[in-house]
Amino acid sequence: MITWMDVCLSLRERERERAVMDPAHNTSAAEIGGSNGNATVSDDSKESLDQVINSINKSLVVLHQLHLSLSSSLTPSSQLHLLPRLNSLVSELNSISKLSEKCNIQIPMEVLSLIDDGKNPDEFARDVLNSCVARNQATKGKTDAFKELRKHILEELEETFPDEVDKYREIRATSAAEAKRLAQSQTVLPNGDAKVKSEL
């Protein structure tokens, strides 16, 4: 059974990974116009998330205490402890509500449905990864088919129009060389790859 504690810890780990992986989360306040260079945008988010997690943990403790109070025999003396615990639970839930407004975490509804069903939320990540792999394989198959078609058409054209195919290959070679020079002059390409493959 997955508890809210597991979900909170998982969210905290993913937030930390996102902060490390995503440079947009690591911009300093000075870069975005703030005056304090030590504070970061992600620090506020992490701090809010930590406060929400702590408040959730406190709520879980109070709920556990309420469960123990109600599962034991309900006596007038145990009823005296019930009201402060209920008030404590309400204040913690209010605190969670207020603190959660500062957190900007988007969780897919499918993950929440899995948690409600008592399943591991990592199943969602596994399913998304598997669907991405399947789509990647289908796309790779299509590109391989187009490469084979291009190769076959070039072979047929070379038999019929050898001079035109030679001109075409010269044009492709010069454009590939220009693209390579342009890629080497740029510091970063959008896809992070500076290698230009020859298609001949």
Side-chain angles (χ1 to χ4, degrees):
M1 182 77 178
I2 298 170
T3 64
W4 281 105
M5 180 88 65
D6 297 333
V7 173
C8 294
L9 292 175
S10 176
L11 287 174
R12 181 186 289 175
E13 289 172 9
R14 289 185 183 155
E15 184 67 25
R16 285 183 185 152
E17 289 173 2
R18 189 181 329 158
V20 170
M21 299 297 281
D22 189 3
H25 278 86
N26 293 330
T27 57
S28 66
E31 292 174 0
I32 59 173
S35 59
N36 186 359
N38 296 336
T40 63
V41 174
S42 64
D43 286 343
D44 294 338
S45 176
K46 284 182 188 178
E47 194 173 305
S48 297
L49 181 62
D50 288 340
Q51 290 173 349
V52 169
I53 290 171
N54 289 336
S55 189
I56 290 172
N57 290 336
K58 289 177 186 176
S59 298
L60 290 173
V61 169
V62 172
L63 281 171
H64 180 67
Q65 291 172 348
L66 282 170
H67 174 70
L68 292 177
S69 298
L70 293 174
S71 63
S72 65
S73 62
L74 203 58
T75 62
S77 63
S78 65
Q79 289 179 1
L80 294 175
H81 298 289
L82 192 60
L83 186 59
R85 288 180 182 162
L86 284 173
N87 287 335
S88 175
L89 179 63
V90 169
S91 67
E92 286 300 328
L93 292 175
N94 188 24
S95 172
I96 290 171
S97 176
K98 288 179 182 176
L99 291 171
S100 65
E101 293 172 359
K102 298 176 186 176
C103 294
N104 187 16
I105 299 172
Q106 298 178 358
I107 301 172
M109 290 302 294
E110 293 88 358
V111 174
L112 298 177
S113 298
L114 284 173
I115 292 169
D116 287 341
D117 294 341
K119 297 178 182 175
N120 191 340
D122 290 338
E123 289 180 20
F124 175 76
R126 186 186 65 227
D127 292 342
V128 169
L129 183 65
N130 288 338
S131 68
C132 286
V133 167
R135 281 185 284 179
N136 187 26
Q137 289 173 346
T139 304
K140 185 180 184 312
K142 289 177 185 178
T143 54
D144 289 344
F146 277 114
K147 285 180 183 178
E148 286 297 317
L149 177 65
R150 181 181 178 277
K151 180 181 175 184
H152 179 69
I153 289 174
L154 273 177
E155 289 172 356
E156 293 292 323
L157 284 173
E158 193 168 22
E159 290 176 7
T160 310
F161 305 106
D163 295 337
E164 284 79 4
V165 171
D166 288 340
K167 290 178 184 177
Y168 169 76
R169 287 188 171 155
E170 287 175 15
I171 292 170
R172 293 289 295 179
T174 56
S175 66
E178 286 179 27
K180 186 175 182 179
R181 276 192 301 262
L182 180 63
Q184 289 174 348
S185 68
Q186 293 177 344
T187 57
V188 177
L189 291 176
N191 65 354
D193 192 8
K195 183 178 179 183
V196 177
K197 294 191 269 187
S198 63
E199 297 182 16
L200 302 176

